[in-house]
Amino acid sequence: MSEVNLTCDVLVIGSGSAAMSAALRARKGGLDVLVVEKTGLLGGTSAMSGAGVWIPANHVAKAAGISDSREEALTYLRAASPEGWAKDEDALWQSFSEAAPRALEFIEQSTPLEFALVNEPDPIAEKPGGKMKGRMVSPKPLSRRLLGKYTHNIRRSTLAHIFTYQEMVDLDPYHHPVAAGLKVLHKLAWRFLTNSGGQGTALMTGLIRGAMDAGVRFLLNARALDLTQDDTGRVTGAVVEHEGVRKTIAAGRGVLLATGGFEWNKALRERHFPGPMDRIGSPRTNEGDGQIMAGKIGAKLDRMDQANVYPCMPTRYEGQLHGLPMTFQAEPHSIVVDRTAKRFVSENDFNIGEAMDRRNPATGAPLHLPVWLVGDKRFLTRSLPFRWYAAYDRKWIVRDATIEGLARKIGLDPAALRATVDRFNGFCDKGRDEDFRRGEGGWEDYKAHGAKNKLGRIEKGPFVALSLNRSFLGTKGGARTNERGQVLREDGSIIAGLYAAGLAMANPIGTRALGAGTTLGPNLTWGFISAETMLKQNQ
């Protein structure tokens, strides 16, 4: 194997939203930027996403006359985040709140992207600083043809990206696929003819096109193996394997780790997320490369037990069984129970994944897993797409003529499950969930589209059960950084020349999502922050 040396000012490892935001900002600031992507496809997990982007006090909301401020955003972050997190994350929350509006405006000005407001509230809008509208945006559709030679290199999604995020919310193709399609048929036809997409396709098409126009260079099929350092410990670049050849890339200003999560690394995942899981909805290349490389040179790895945990249905992607993120667990005539056969959360809670992943503080073992969705036969009639996707895993749905028989089949106590179902049916008769207030509050009422049938008795057999254990859209632990995106050692000192963003960093917004877009919004922002730090360093 021969060695080939390349040089740049900034080396960005990965090609998702955090990576491309950083590459674009650094290049616009005058630096020579090289993006290396381990596969032949650009866009990472972000390209597969719904592209809800949570940015408080953004310019789109301001233009629409919606009042918000950085101070209110910081108040919300402090009030809605897990207890004790402020000690380690408050400086990062402050940095995010200040930079996020600037990052979004810069991205829109520097790319073909145009963002539109999404009519979604903060999921915990009742907390101080929460908002019922204005912090969620998503890109309008773009044609993949904008990418020229990379048109066929944008990663495809399991989601229906022919719709925009807002169309998915408004038209609800999950329940009404035919009606939804007919309502916007002219738009869908045009998008099909122009090879256009919304959601993550639009987001990454726009970011990559903007980076291409600015002069960012790309190296595909190049897996980063190790970081290089000088005698002082400063990171000077990385060793990558490109098409069977190892190359040392020197980066004069810095290296950004934006390699995504580690959910497809079985050993790491099982170490930090013990207990059962169902599916993974991200690219199989998310194997923790950035976390491993950072750990090798003494970076502190933190928040490794945090992840974007969300229910996923079975589907196929790249010829293999995969996860499709979808809210299917909040249908009438169904409930979610844990291993004790009891309910433990509102089925429509946006952070149901956090509840499923709750740990025993003494042992770290899961408190609720395994988790099951239990419903009657009407649950299966609510959605044609549900039945389509369920067919990818024919063992997923368990049926029985009685609740007690169903409980035995899935290993739950029959009497306990019967008691839980009877209690829930009583709430249905009263019209109010007295245990978990299902269907109440700003977020839950919004997601129910104001429907009156948020609750529905479980009484008509055959009864069904589906495993609803953790499914991962991306882990959120990695290299601990400061408020400037610089990677830190265990003692808190800075590893000069090394930055981390997105799901490769110890994310300051963990499993508890404070907005539907609090993965992508912070990803874009931390890439932007890291690049701005590089621009200010070594001048």
Side-chain angles (χ1 to χ4, degrees), residues 39-59:
T39 74
L41 299 174
L42 294 166
T45 309
S46 302
M48 297 184 69
S49 74
V53 179
W54 193 83
I55 299 286
N58 64 76
H59 67 283

Side-chain angles (χ1 to χ4, degrees), residues 38 223-224 257 259-262 285-294:
K38 71 188 286 186
R223 181 172 190 169
L257 298 174
T259 51
F262 59 83
T285 49
N286 287 7
E287 299 170 300
D289 293 2
Q291 290 84 346
I292 293 169
M293 286 187 288

Side-chain angles (χ1 to χ4, degrees), residues 361-379:
T363 66
L367 289 173
H368 296 297
L369 300 176
V371 170
W372 296 89
L373 183 151
V374 173
D376 73 14
K377 69 178 184 179
R378 289 170 290 185
F379 169 81

Side-chain angles (χ1 to χ4, degrees), residues 6 112 129 225 235 278 293 365 377 493:
L6 303 173
L225 304 174
V235 171
D278 281 350
M293 286 187 288
K377 69 178 184 179
S493 62

